[in-house]
Amino acid sequence: MSILKLVEYSIFIGKADPELSQIISQDNYSKIAILVDENTRQHCLPVLLKNIEIEHSIIEIPAGEQHKNLSSCRHIWEEMMLQGMDRHSLLLNLGGGVIGDMGGFCAATYMRGIDFVQIPTTLLAQVDASIGGKLGIDFNLVKNSIGLFKNPKAVFVNPVFLQTLPESEIWSGFAEVFKHALIADADLWHDLQKVTSLSALDWQPLLARSLRIKKQVVEIDPYEKGLRKALNFGHTIGHAVESFSFSADKPLLHGEAVAIGIVCESWLSNKEGGLSQKSLEQIAAFVKKRYPSFSFQEKDFPRIMEFMKKDKKNRDGRINFTFIPEVGKVEWDQYCEEEIIRESLRYYLSI
Ligand code: GLY
């Protein structure tokens, strides 16, 4: 087990049952509820409860991003009230990004805020969503448009939960792992290029390396005024392709879309930001080998561009990007002409 200490909380990486027991008992909470969905209730809750004793109640919501909304929040708040949770209660969020973001949001607003602990169970949530205090829900079809920043009491990242996931979900989370390498750690990128199979991976040190990068970024810039925008690399085009994939009824996993976004935004970084041709080709080859190819056509570009124009990072109607001028370095608040952006989509289709 390793521990990453941030100013307000710690991230425990690996098996940390005694530490979790201590966090739960040290504050003498009046009530503890565990937020789950039907998947984490079946596959992850028994793993969690095997080695620690928690007097708890359960709050269950349906799984899936489509339930990350106000009506689920209403259900969670109602359950918290029905179960007599007061200001000195604790919510344990056991699940992926939806559970962590929405459970954290409900905890942070219930009775003006109660403690919550993140126990992320997907790779995506373990390396990204559970760290950095971004909480929220989707509203009027806009992702994460209602929310706030608030840090949890602690985060427990246990790779044991990855065994409950299909391989495509793990590759999806892996997109955030290699994004962290591309923006901040050329050595990690070098090592990741050797990873072709997930089965033999030693997760704990890899999670620690990836999380150290996110920790450093969010500690310097918790409210995304500058450096934290580095984490958006691949996400401007990634989010647009993800939204397009849903609207075209061929849904991509978040990380699959981000991997496409990383290829396109690496192409933009090459054309406009100085990234070498060799690095661009390495990144494209990495994605091509590990992620399913997603087919769309020139006639789909206007819809993809429309989604990009709605991105909440944009300023004055200009589409905002983060570039990597070389692997391990970032430049944020970059803007491109629309034709150049379309050209980057053509590059993805050509590889
Ligand atoms: N997922 C990007 C961030 O936490 O800022």
Side-chain angles (χ1 to χ4, degrees):
M1 201 268 294
S2 57
I3 305 177
L4 283 180
K5 283 191 194 306
L6 288 85
V7 177
E8 289 187 13
Y9 63 102
S10 292
I11 307 167
F12 299 85
I13 308 164
K15 199 165 155 42
D17 297 326
E19 290 76 8
L20 178 55
S21 297
Q22 203 207 341
I23 296 254
I24 287 170
S25 55
Q26 75 191 5
D27 280 320
N28 203 17
Y29 288 110
S30 54
K31 291 249 185 306
I32 298 175
I34 306 179
L35 180 67
V36 290
D37 60 33
E38 66 270 25
N39 297 328
T40 60
R41 186 173 198 159
Q42 188 185 347
H43 300 293
C44 302
L45 191 59
V47 178
L48 177 73
L49 297 178
K50 202 163 125 201
N51 296 314
I52 52 166
E53 274 188 30
I54 317 173
E55 203 178 305
H56 68 276
S57 58
I58 297 286
I59 303 176
E60 183 177 325
I61 53 162
E65 180 81 24
Q66 69 274 30
H67 298 290
K68 191 180 174 184
N69 56 26
L70 261 185
S71 91
S72 299
C73 291
R74 188 186 174 96
H75 172 71
I76 295 167
W77 287 318
E78 271 171 359
E79 281 297 315
M80 288 165 117
M81 274 193 182
L82 281 173
Q83 294 175 14
M85 291 176 78
D86 61 19
R87 280 184 134 173
H88 203 68
S89 299
L90 173 73
L91 186 68
L92 299 179
N93 296 319
L94 180 68
V98 172
I99 292 272
D101 287 9
M102 184 159 60
F105 175 70
C106 288
T109 45
Y110 183 73
M111 307 242 167
R112 298 212 175 89
I114 64 166
D115 283 353
F116 61 99
V117 166
Q118 303 292 45
I119 311 179
T121 58
T122 63
L123 182 58
L124 198 67
Q126 291 190 343
V127 294
D128 187 22
S130 65
I131 315 299
K134 281 186 180 175
L135 309 171
I137 54 166
D138 305 337
F139 185 69
N140 274 1
L141 299 178
V142 185
K143 241 172 107 94
N144 300 325
S145 47
I146 305 291
L148 73 162
F149 287 95
K150 187 175 184 230
N151 285 321
K153 186 84 182 160
V155 182
F156 288 86
V157 172
N158 190 343
V160 73
F161 293 120
L162 302 180
Q163 292 164 13
T164 65
L165 298 175
E167 193 158 308
S168 55
E169 275 290 345
I170 303 191
W171 280 118
S172 171
F174 210 80
E176 302 290 352
V177 177
F178 85 85
K179 177 199 78 180
H180 285 163
L182 290 174
I183 61 171
D185 188 341
D187 288 341
L188 178 57
W189 169 237
H190 177 79
D191 294 347
L192 290 180
Q193 286 177 83
K194 295 182 208 138
V195 176
T196 48
S197 144
L198 299 168
S199 51
L201 267 185
D202 188 0
W203 280 107
Q204 194 179 312
L206 181 58
L207 288 167
R209 281 175 89 180
S210 190
L211 282 165
R212 207 167 290 125
I213 295 168
K214 176 131 192 195
K215 165 194 178 297
Q216 282 163 356
V217 170
V218 299
E219 280 206 314
I220 292 170
D221 178 23
Y223 299 114
E224 202 169 308
K225 302 286 181 221
L227 176 65
R228 190 166 180 166
K229 295 180 187 179
L231 299 171
N232 295 330
F233 177 59
H235 284 65
T236 302
I237 294 181
H239 275 152
V241 170
E242 185 181 8
S243 301
F244 168 76
S245 78
F246 279 99
S247 73
D249 231 5
K250 28 184 196 180
L252 287 166
L253 295 175
H254 175 72
E256 291 171 346
V258 167
I260 296 170
I262 286 176
V263 171
C264 296
E265 293 179 27
S266 297
W267 186 89
L268 293 174
S269 299
N270 169 259
K271 289 296 159 249
E272 308 263 287
L275 181 69
S276 71
Q277 187 67 21
K278 183 168 170 231
S279 293
L280 169 64
E281 283 168 15
Q282 280 173 343
I283 293 164
F286 182 92
V287 169
K288 187 175 169 177
K289 191 162 178 182
R290 292 162 185 79
Y291 291 86
S293 64
F294 181 63
S295 70
F296 52 95
Q297 294 167 1
E298 192 85 23
K299 71 171 170 50
D300 301 319
F301 287 10
R303 271 164 79 203
I304 297 174
M305 293 303 303
E306 274 316 302
F307 284 116
M308 244 178 270
K309 286 177 192 162
K310 289 192 190 130
D311 194 298
K312 59 182 174 312
K313 299 186 293 294
N314 296 343
R315 261 196 107 130
D316 305 324
R318 291 186 305 158
I319 300 169
N320 183 294
F321 289 96
T322 295
F323 287 163
I324 48 168
E326 64 185 88
V327 171
K329 298 224 156 53
V330 267
E331 274 168 5
W332 55 87
D333 287 341
Q334 303 296 309
Y335 299 91
C336 300
E337 295 301 320
E338 283 190 31
E339 182 45 32
I340 307 273
I341 302 171
R342 281 193 284 273
E343 200 52 42
S344 77
L345 294 171
R346 285 183 201 111
Y347 174 72
Y348 170 74
L349 292 174
S350 76
I351 64 171

